[in-house]
Amino acid sequence: MSLLTSARFHTTVAALAQLPRDGLVELAFVGRSNAGKSTAINVLCNRKRLAFSSRTPGRTQALNYFAVGPTDQPIAYLVDTPGYGYASAPLETKRTWDTLAGQYLQARTQLAGVVLLADIRRQLTDLDRKLIEWIPSQVRLVVTLTKSDKLPRQQASTALRSVRSELQRLRPQSPDTVLLFSALNRSGRDELSALVEEWFGQSSQAASAGPAAVSPDTATPGPAASG
């Protein structure tokens, strides 16, 4: 049984000062609004509504933490970040999201990896590329091309190769991964699950050294976000 099936809600973080200080490894899920991020998390954890999106775009403004492992002693967190790129969100709200999510991704030393969800029909957008540039090189990245069932197999394979090539240009020194994923037919779920658990295993000892600070003075904002 996958470790991820133990995932359960832990806390909601609306400000950097509220970030957990227990030093556990964290894995962040990021993506544009409507890229299928919440659905992918639910499929990965074999849950129906562990993560969910508001029916009103722009409503979700916080980092949602899900604990993984034994109930009395979790070993890691999955972190659902606000979706980004919704044009009609108020400017002040965008700034709030930018500060929270952007600084978290850049400076959170417990962060072992980032799962970027991107609709395979759009591939990487300018906002996706901007976010990728802000992820530290030592943080592992997997670009998960969602809704792969929407394209014929040959077109999906072409998109996979295209995104893989672009990612190598954007992060030439990082051993990143690109996967095809479909919430409808569950393709790619086992591969992503295995990769996530591998990251947790490789990073748990390093992260157990203690809590890490996020410095608002050194981190720069992330892309405009919405939920």
CSV table of all heavy atoms in Angstrom, one decimal, residues 33-58:
chain,number,residue,atom,x,y,z
A,33,SER,N,-4.4,27.8,-12.2
A,33,SER,CA,-5.8,27.5,-11.9
A,33,SER,C,-6.3,26.6,-13.0
A,33,SER,O,-6.0,26.8,-14.2
A,33,SER,CB,-6.6,28.7,-11.8
A,33,SER,OG,-6.1,29.6,-10.8
A,34,ASN,N,-7.1,25.6,-12.7
A,34,ASN,CA,-7.7,24.7,-13.6
A,34,ASN,C,-6.8,23.8,-14.3
A,34,ASN,O,-7.1,23.1,-15.3
A,34,ASN,CB,-8.5,25.5,-14.7
A,34,ASN,CG,-9.6,26.4,-14.1
A,34,ASN,OD1,-10.2,26.0,-13.1
A,34,ASN,ND2,-9.8,27.6,-14.6
A,35,ALA,N,-5.5,23.6,-13.8
A,35,ALA,CA,-4.6,22.6,-14.4
A,35,ALA,C,-4.8,21.2,-13.8
A,35,ALA,O,-4.2,20.3,-14.3
A,35,ALA,CB,-3.2,23.0,-14.1
A,36,GLY,N,-5.7,21.1,-12.9
A,36,GLY,CA,-6.0,19.8,-12.3
A,36,GLY,C,-5.2,19.4,-11.1
A,36,GLY,O,-5.0,18.2,-10.8
A,37,LYS,N,-4.7,20.4,-10.4
A,37,LYS,CA,-3.8,20.2,-9.3
A,37,LYS,C,-4.5,19.4,-8.1
A,37,LYS,O,-4.0,18.4,-7.7
A,37,LYS,CB,-3.3,21.5,-8.8
A,37,LYS,CG,-2.3,21.4,-7.6
A,37,LYS,CD,-1.6,22.7,-7.3
A,37,LYS,CE,-2.5,23.9,-7.2
A,37,LYS,NZ,-3.4,23.8,-5.9
A,38,SER,N,-5.6,19.9,-7.7
A,38,SER,CA,-6.3,19.3,-6.6
A,38,SER,C,-6.8,17.9,-6.9
A,38,SER,O,-6.7,16.9,-6.1
A,38,SER,CB,-7.6,20.1,-6.2
A,38,SER,OG,-7.2,21.4,-5.7
A,39,THR,N,-7.2,17.7,-8.2
A,39,THR,CA,-7.7,16.4,-8.6
A,39,THR,C,-6.5,15.4,-8.6
A,39,THR,O,-6.6,14.2,-8.2
A,39,THR,CB,-8.3,16.4,-10.0
A,39,THR,OG1,-9.4,17.3,-10.0
A,39,THR,CG2,-8.7,15.1,-10.5
A,40,ALA,N,-5.3,15.9,-9.0
A,40,ALA,CA,-4.1,15.0,-9.1
A,40,ALA,C,-3.7,14.6,-7.7
A,40,ALA,O,-3.3,13.4,-7.4
A,40,ALA,CB,-3.0,15.7,-9.8
A,41,ILE,N,-3.8,15.5,-6.7
A,41,ILE,CA,-3.5,15.2,-5.3
A,41,ILE,C,-4.4,14.1,-4.8
A,41,ILE,O,-4.0,13.1,-4.2
A,41,ILE,CB,-3.5,16.4,-4.4
A,41,ILE,CG1,-2.4,17.4,-4.8
A,41,ILE,CG2,-3.4,16.0,-3.0
A,41,ILE,CD1,-2.5,18.7,-4.1
A,42,ASN,N,-5.7,14.2,-5.1
A,42,ASN,CA,-6.7,13.3,-4.6
A,42,ASN,C,-6.4,11.9,-5.2
A,42,ASN,O,-6.5,10.9,-4.6
A,42,ASN,CB,-8.1,13.7,-4.9
A,42,ASN,CG,-8.5,15.0,-4.1
A,42,ASN,OD1,-8.0,15.2,-3.0
A,42,ASN,ND2,-9.4,15.8,-4.7
A,43,VAL,N,-6.1,11.9,-6.5
A,43,VAL,CA,-5.9,10.6,-7.2
A,43,VAL,C,-4.6,10.0,-6.6
A,43,VAL,O,-4.5,8.7,-6.4
A,43,VAL,CB,-5.7,10.8,-8.7
A,43,VAL,CG1,-5.2,9.5,-9.4
A,43,VAL,CG2,-7.1,11.2,-9.3
A,44,LEU,N,-3.6,10.8,-6.4
A,44,LEU,CA,-2.3,10.3,-5.9
A,44,LEU,C,-2.5,9.6,-4.5
A,44,LEU,O,-1.9,8.6,-4.2
A,44,LEU,CB,-1.3,11.4,-5.8
A,44,LEU,CG,0.1,11.1,-5.5
A,44,LEU,CD1,0.8,10.2,-6.7
A,44,LEU,CD2,1.0,12.3,-5.3
A,45,CYS,N,-3.3,10.2,-3.7
A,45,CYS,CA,-3.6,9.8,-2.3
A,45,CYS,C,-4.7,8.8,-2.2
A,45,CYS,O,-5.1,8.4,-1.1
A,45,CYS,CB,-3.7,10.9,-1.4
A,45,CYS,SG,-2.3,12.0,-1.3
A,46,ASN,N,-5.4,8.5,-3.4
A,46,ASN,CA,-6.6,7.6,-3.4
A,46,ASN,C,-7.7,8.1,-2.5
A,46,ASN,O,-8.3,7.4,-1.7
A,46,ASN,CB,-6.2,6.2,-3.0
A,46,ASN,CG,-7.2,5.2,-3.4
A,46,ASN,OD1,-7.9,5.4,-4.4
A,46,ASN,ND2,-7.3,4.1,-2.7
A,47,ARG,N,-7.9,9.4,-2.6
A,47,ARG,CA,-9.0,10.1,-1.8
A,47,ARG,C,-9.9,10.9,-2.7
A,47,ARG,O,-9.4,11.4,-3.7
A,47,ARG,CB,-8.3,11.0,-0.7
A,47,ARG,CG,-7.4,10.3,0.2
A,47,ARG,CD,-8.2,9.5,1.3
A,47,ARG,NE,-8.8,10.4,2.2
A,47,ARG,CZ,-8.2,11.0,3.2
A,47,ARG,NH1,-7.0,10.8,3.5
A,47,ARG,NH2,-8.9,11.8,4.0
A,48,LYS,N,-11.1,11.1,-2.3
A,48,LYS,CA,-12.0,11.8,-3.2
A,48,LYS,C,-11.9,13.3,-3.0
A,48,LYS,O,-12.0,14.1,-3.9
A,48,LYS,CB,-13.5,11.4,-2.9
A,48,LYS,CG,-13.7,10.0,-3.4
A,48,LYS,CD,-15.2,9.6,-3.2
A,48,LYS,CE,-15.5,8.2,-3.8
A,48,LYS,NZ,-16.9,7.8,-3.6
A,49,ARG,N,-11.8,13.8,-1.7
A,49,ARG,CA,-11.8,15.3,-1.5
A,49,ARG,C,-10.8,15.6,-0.4
A,49,ARG,O,-11.1,16.4,0.5
A,49,ARG,CB,-13.2,15.8,-1.1
A,49,ARG,CG,-14.2,15.9,-2.3
A,49,ARG,CD,-15.5,16.4,-1.8
A,49,ARG,NE,-15.5,17.7,-1.3
A,49,ARG,CZ,-15.4,18.8,-2.0
A,49,ARG,NH1,-15.4,18.8,-3.3
A,49,ARG,NH2,-15.4,20.0,-1.4
A,50,LEU,N,-9.6,15.1,-0.5
A,50,LEU,CA,-8.5,15.5,0.4
A,50,LEU,C,-8.2,16.9,0.1
A,50,LEU,O,-8.1,17.8,0.9
A,50,LEU,CB,-7.3,14.6,0.2
A,50,LEU,CG,-6.1,14.9,1.1
A,50,LEU,CD1,-6.4,14.7,2.5
A,50,LEU,CD2,-4.9,14.1,0.6
A,51,ALA,N,-7.9,17.2,-1.2
A,51,ALA,CA,-7.7,18.6,-1.7
A,51,ALA,C,-8.9,18.9,-2.6
A,51,ALA,O,-9.4,18.1,-3.3
A,51,ALA,CB,-6.4,18.6,-2.4
A,52,PHE,N,-9.3,20.2,-2.6
A,52,PHE,CA,-10.4,20.6,-3.5
A,52,PHE,C,-10.2,22.1,-3.8
A,52,PHE,O,-9.7,22.8,-3.0
A,52,PHE,CB,-11.7,20.3,-2.9
A,52,PHE,CG,-12.0,20.9,-1.5
A,52,PHE,CD1,-12.6,22.1,-1.4
A,52,PHE,CD2,-11.6,20.2,-0.4
A,52,PHE,CE1,-12.9,22.7,-0.2
A,52,PHE,CE2,-11.9,20.8,0.9
A,52,PHE,CZ,-12.5,22.0,1.0
A,53,SER,N,-10.8,22.4,-5.0
A,53,SER,CA,-10.7,23.8,-5.4
A,53,SER,C,-12.1,24.5,-5.2
A,53,SER,O,-13.1,23.8,-5.3
A,53,SER,CB,-10.4,23.9,-6.9
A,53,SER,OG,-9.2,23.3,-7.2
A,54,SER,N,-12.0,25.7,-4.8
A,54,SER,CA,-13.2,26.5,-4.7
A,54,SER,C,-13.9,26.7,-6.0
A,54,SER,O,-13.3,26.7,-7.1
A,54,SER,CB,-12.9,27.9,-4.1
A,54,SER,OG,-14.1,28.7,-4.1
A,55,ARG,N,-15.2,26.7,-6.0
A,55,ARG,CA,-16.0,27.0,-7.2
A,55,ARG,C,-15.8,28.4,-7.7
A,55,ARG,O,-16.0,28.7,-8.9
A,55,ARG,CB,-17.5,26.7,-7.0
A,55,ARG,CG,-17.8,25.2,-6.9
A,55,ARG,CD,-19.3,25.0,-6.8
A,55,ARG,NE,-19.6,23.6,-6.6
A,55,ARG,CZ,-19.8,22.8,-7.6
A,55,ARG,NH1,-19.6,23.2,-8.9
A,55,ARG,NH2,-20.1,21.5,-7.4
A,56,THR,N,-15.3,29.3,-6.8
A,56,THR,CA,-15.0,30.7,-7.1
A,56,THR,C,-13.5,30.8,-7.3
A,56,THR,O,-12.8,30.8,-6.3
A,56,THR,CB,-15.5,31.6,-6.1
A,56,THR,OG1,-16.9,31.4,-5.9
A,56,THR,CG2,-15.3,33.1,-6.5
A,57,PRO,N,-13.0,31.0,-8.5
A,57,PRO,CA,-11.5,31.2,-8.7
A,57,PRO,C,-11.0,32.3,-7.9
A,57,PRO,O,-11.6,33.4,-7.8
A,57,PRO,CB,-11.4,31.4,-10.2
A,57,PRO,CG,-12.6,30.8,-10.8
A,57,PRO,CD,-13.7,31.0,-9.8
A,58,GLY,N,-9.9,32.1,-7.2
A,58,GLY,CA,-9.3,33.2,-6.4
A,58,GLY,C,-9.7,33.1,-5.0
A,58,GLY,O,-9.2,33.9,-4.1
